[in-house]
Amino acid sequence: NESLANIQDGRTVPLDVWYPDTIRAQILFEIENQPFMENLQDQFDLEDLLDDILQDASQMKTFSSKQLIDYVFNEDNLFVDLFQTTQSRPAGAMGPLQVPANVNGNELYNKLISVYPNGINIDRKSTFSILDTFDPNTFNDAELSFLASLFLDMLPYTHFSMYERNYRPVIDTSIYTAQNYPFYGRNVRVRASQDIDFSFENNSFSHFRVQFELTGNFLNLRLIGAPYLNAISVAFDMTTIPYLTETVSPTINERPGVDGRVVKVYRHVYDLNEELLSRTRVVFESYRPRTAFIHE
């Protein structure tokens, strides 16, 4: 009625929209008492949120939505540990990754803290690239590949989406066996000279930070950020493909067979009521078996 009363010929008159005080207080109460707002009531400017909702209503926006994270006083105040590559895993899942033999852990760590003393930011609504983040003139391919493996190890425990990944589906049997190969589910190859990169997307409205710590022969990648609204669990599935045996001529050397592997890593997302929202295959790897050669 007030907006209609203010109409004047030849003028554009704004639509006046407001909440009565009792309704405004009720809405604030309802937001503050949402399950995900526990212990966070003082972290957001909810009055500013309601003012922006009223502004959209005054402009008669049909599809208006607001991200609560946009009204946080300081998002860093919400940060908690979300993932560490050295954290314990469920039985049967992938364990922590040791620094491989072709990488000097101390040298790599010193480079990281020299270039990124405060850690690395993963910006909201952005793509994170290994080659764009770590200068190939400072980090060699072996170091870049190992860092990419650490990031891939983290990926299923987040809402991030894989964008680009390359891996070599062959196990170096001079170092590992098919049974103790540690890179199942996080096998990544990065080659700067060939522009072979590893990248993923942060499609969320939150930013995150990555920090590194060296403990013994383990380089720990630690992801910190605002807590997720939905819980995430990770399932690791590996299927063995038995190798074949072939009788060959004595002119061909005998060799042992190697079982193949098909590796899948799934992300399960649950809502606040512990109901399954989605099941996504984040990682797929296939390692062909190697035929055994024997003499008759």
Side-chain angles (χ1 to χ4, degrees):
N1 291 335
E2 184 172 329
S3 300
L4 292 174
N6 288 335
I7 290 177
Q8 297 181 31
D9 188 25
R11 287 187 56 194
T12 300
V13 180
L15 176 65
D16 289 324
V17 180
W18 69 92
Y19 289 120
D21 290 344
T22 55
I23 300 300
R24 189 181 185 97
Q26 178 184 341
I27 294 173
L28 289 172
F29 177 82
E30 290 178 358
I31 295 176
E32 291 174 344
N33 284 275
Q34 291 296 315
F36 58 82
M37 287 290 287
E38 185 176 358
N39 300 321
L40 298 177
Q41 288 85 352
D42 297 330
Q43 297 292 334
F44 298 92
D45 189 344
L46 299 180
E47 294 284 354
D48 195 29
L49 166 64
L50 295 192
D51 288 343
D52 285 351
I53 292 173
L54 292 175
Q55 178 66 25
D56 285 1
S58 71
Q59 297 174 6
M60 301 184 71
K61 291 187 177 180
T62 307
F63 298 103
S64 173
S65 65
K66 301 298 176 187
Q67 296 295 328
L68 191 58
I69 197 69
D70 290 337
Y71 298 88
V72 68
F73 290 117
N74 185 346
E75 189 175 351
D76 287 8
N77 289 341
L78 304 179
F79 277 14
V80 297
D81 282 358
L82 298 173
F83 174 78
Q84 297 190 50
T85 51
T86 55
Q87 70 187 34
S88 60
R89 313 292 177 90
M94 305 172 291
L97 275 175
Q98 292 194 57
V99 178
N102 62 342
V103 172
N104 185 307
N106 287 312
E107 288 184 7
L108 175 57
Y109 177 68
N110 288 333
K111 291 178 185 179
L112 290 168
I113 61 174
S114 175
V115 180
Y116 300 104
N118 299 317
I120 299 170
N121 286 330
I122 300 177
D123 296 328
R124 59 192 291 180
K125 293 293 182 179
S126 67
T127 298
F128 183 91
S129 158
I130 290 291
L131 291 182
D132 288 346
T133 304
F134 302 98
D135 185 356
N137 294 317
T138 303
F139 301 88
N140 60 44
D141 284 349
E143 293 170 335
L144 294 174
S145 296
F146 177 58
L147 289 172
S149 291
L150 294 178
F151 277 97
L152 179 56
D153 193 22
M154 168 197 77
L155 212 64
Y157 295 85
T158 71
H159 295 286
F160 302 155
S161 301
M162 189 101 69
Y163 184 74
E164 179 181 2
R165 177 203 176 202
N166 183 281
Y167 75 100
R168 187 169 182 265
V170 177
I171 296 172
D172 185 350
T173 54
S174 66
I175 303 176
Y176 307 108
T177 68
Q179 287 72 36
N180 69 9
Y181 184 63
F183 290 96
Y184 289 129
R186 54 243 177 135
N187 186 351
V188 186
R189 177 173 61 173
V190 176
R191 297 289 183 270
S193 61
Q194 300 171 267
D195 201 29
I196 298 176
D197 196 4
F198 173 79
S199 59
F200 57 88
E201 294 178 331
N202 173 18
N203 289 320
S204 74
F205 289 91
S206 299
H207 75 274
F208 301 87
R209 188 170 300 122
V210 169
Q211 297 176 336
F212 295 96
E213 301 156 349
L214 185 66
T215 304
N217 201 36
F218 292 91
L219 182 63
N220 182 34
L221 180 153
R222 186 164 71 103
L223 178 71
I224 58 176
Y228 302 135
L229 179 62
N230 299 312
I232 295 176
S233 70
V234 174
F236 176 83
D237 179 71
M238 182 163 65
T239 303
T240 300
I241 305 174
Y243 66 84
L244 301 176
T245 300
E246 181 179 346
T247 302
V248 296
S249 164
T251 59
I252 301 175
N253 292 332
E254 291 185 317
R255 73 177 189 190
V258 177
D259 289 336
R261 298 286 192 277
V262 173
V263 179
K264 302 173 186 176
V265 182
Y266 294 92
R267 174 197 298 138
H268 298 86
V269 180
Y270 297 87
D271 64 16
L272 293 172
N273 296 318
E274 299 184 353
E275 296 290 335
L276 181 65
L277 290 176
S278 64
R279 179 178 185 265
T280 306
R281 191 182 71 191
V282 182
V283 177
F284 175 86
E285 295 173 358
S286 178
Y287 300 84
R288 296 178 60 184
R290 188 180 75 171
T291 299
F293 291 162
I294 62 173
H295 295 158
E296 189 172 358

